[in-house]
Amino acid sequence: MAVIFPSNNATANGANAPDRAIDATELGRVGPLITPSDLRTGVLFGIPLVSPIVDPITKKPAVMTDEIIARKIRQAIARVELGCGFTITPVQHEFRLPFVPTEYRAFGFIQVPVRPILSVQSLAVKGPSGDAILYNVPLEWISRGQFHRGLMSIIPLNAAFLTPNALPSASAGGVAFLAILGSTGYVAQWWRLQCVAGFDEGKIPDAINDILAVTAAIEILSELSALHTAQSHSISIDGMSQSISLGQVFQARMQQLEEDRKRLEGKLKTLMGLRYFVDNI
């Protein structure tokens, strides 16, 4: 079950696009979520967002307000999340994941079904049946370097060697417990993971904002194009004439934006590790 989660209350467990991450530099440039004003002055610059049809009651043409554009942006978020396979708005999740010996021996490798991971509230060992928690994995043992791809690893080395010639009492039992698991076979629904997926408020990568702007603009221009199909302007000079339809102008701009959307979608899928799937057989 997934619920919208206020990211400012999440347990901070590191950024999902860490600084100096060479393979995620495009995700490191962040800013606030795009606004209707950004859309007007960006991909929709110079395009009159006004209906050519006059309202019979007000006797004025309908204008696409900031409220309407803001709704288009929210719809674009849902479309991009569905089409690209990653989460933008922070959502809390709880998963029951299997224990796979081959993956566990690779420093507790875990592929989370959602990405990017914003924070981890808990990672616990839980039996296949019942609600009893056998062991809570300390959050400082979780490697965060690949959170943007939904990847986690359990690396208890820092805790195990925190003090010279001795193990901290809180870590000793945990390291021994995790070491014993190395010889265990496959166990279904062994891990219980509680995490938040998405991007922190005010820290939306520029590449994400770009694809949201393009997606929202395509929807807006599609509606305007349907209204302007019969609207045209004719220019005649010395026997030469030219007819320009606003609907045709919108169609040309939509085609250009659709190409940009496909390019951005491919780039983001690569950054998020959605271009391929690798597992142990």
Side-chain angles (χ1 to χ4, degrees), residues 20-114:
R20 297 175 295 279
I22 296 175
D23 61 345
T25 52
E26 289 85 349
L27 300 179
R29 296 188 289 270
V30 299
L33 181 69
I34 57 170
T35 64
S37 177
D38 295 332
L39 213 58
R40 289 181 185 276
T41 58
V43 293
L44 294 177
F45 177 75
I47 297 178
L49 304 183
V50 180
S51 170
I53 302 175
V54 177
D55 189 294
I57 298 176
T58 64
K59 306 302 180 182
K60 296 180 179 180
V63 178
M64 188 163 288
T65 62
D66 285 352
E67 182 181 356
I68 297 175
I69 297 177
R71 186 169 64 250
K72 298 298 182 183
I73 293 174
R74 291 194 297 269
Q75 293 172 350
I77 291 175
R79 289 191 176 97
V80 171
E81 287 181 334
L82 183 62
C84 294
F86 55 79
T87 304
I88 299 175
T89 304
V91 180
Q92 187 177 24
H93 298 270
E94 179 173 321
F95 299 106
R96 293 298 306 273
L97 304 173
F99 175 84
V100 182
T102 52
E103 294 180 350
Y104 179 78
R105 284 192 285 270
F107 280 103
F109 172 86
I110 297 176
Q111 173 69 71
V112 182
V114 293

Side-chain angles (χ1 to χ4, degrees), residues 135 141 167-179:
Y135 181 72
W141 292 3
L167 287 173
S169 58
S171 302
V175 173
F177 181 82
L178 294 177

Side-chain angles (χ1 to χ4, degrees), residues 128-254:
S129 61
D131 296 327
I133 296 177
L134 305 178
Y135 181 72
N136 275 308
V137 178
L139 296 182
E140 60 267 22
W141 292 3
I142 298 176
S143 174
R144 303 183 290 269
Q146 295 293 316
F147 267 18
H148 63 288
R149 292 182 174 175
L151 301 178
M152 291 171 42
S153 294
I154 302 172
I155 305 179
L157 299 181
N158 291 338
F161 296 99
L162 186 62
T163 58
N165 303 321
L167 287 173
S169 58
S171 302
V175 173
F177 181 82
L178 294 177
I180 293 172
L181 287 178
S183 59
T184 306
Y186 178 91
V187 182
Q189 298 186 5
W190 179 253
W191 303 107
R192 188 197 69 174
L193 172 66
Q194 292 180 328
C195 67
V196 177
F199 294 96
D200 206 356
E201 184 178 356
K203 296 182 179 180
I204 306 297
D206 291 346
I208 301 292
N209 271 328
D210 287 345
I211 194 171
L212 291 178
V214 169
T215 303
I218 291 174
E219 180 64 22
I220 291 171
L221 292 178
S222 176
E223 293 184 2
L224 291 175
S225 179
L227 298 174
H228 281 280
T229 52
Q231 302 296 316
S232 63
H233 301 276
S234 297
I235 301 175
S236 179
I237 302 177
D238 296 334
M240 300 179 62
S241 63
Q242 182 182 16
S243 178
I244 302 175
S245 171
L246 285 177
Q248 294 175 352
V249 174
F250 291 154
Q251 290 291 338
R253 181 59 174 150
M254 287 169 57

